[in-house]
């Protein structure tokens, strides 16, 4: 759930800074990547978090690209 919350926070900041743009994010959770790519999840908690980011994505015309990186390789 924390990775999905981080993705939502990133989308909120990105929507305020850059309208109608594309960007790539590095995530260490393949579950979050799959849920974002499909736009839904069987997990209610994950779906609820992603629903909160949907308005920012659609309203600002954002197109996110997600790449996987292992937790050990992620310096953040």
């Amino acid at each position: 759930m924390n990775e999905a919350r981080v993705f939502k926070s990133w989308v909120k900041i990105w929507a305020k800074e850059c309208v109608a743009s594309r960007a790539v994010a590095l995530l260490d959770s393949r579950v979050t990547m799959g849920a974002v790519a499909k736009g839904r999840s069987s997990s209610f908690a994950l779906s609820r978090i992603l629903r909160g980011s949907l308005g920012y994505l659609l309203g600002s015309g954002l197109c996110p690209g997600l790449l996987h990186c292992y937790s050990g390789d992620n310096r953040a």
Side-chain angles (χ1 to χ4, degrees), residues 4-73:
R5 286 187 189 103
V6 169
F7 175 76
K8 181 181 173 183
S9 298
W10 176 69
V11 167
K12 287 166 91 173
I13 293 168
W14 183 32
K16 293 175 186 175
E17 298 290 325
C18 307
V19 178
S21 62
R22 297 179 186 180
V24 176
L26 296 173
L27 293 176
D28 61 351
S29 172
R30 291 183 192 231
V31 172
T32 302
M33 289 175 59
V36 169
K38 275 182 123 174
R40 60 186 171 91
S41 173
S42 61
S43 168
F44 176 75
L46 188 57
S47 293
R48 189 178 61 127
I49 295 169
L50 293 178
R51 259 186 276 153
S53 65
L54 187 60
Y56 293 101
L57 289 171
L58 294 176
S60 298
L62 304 176
C63 184
L66 303 175
L67 295 174
H68 181 261
C69 71
Y70 294 103
S71 297
D73 297 334

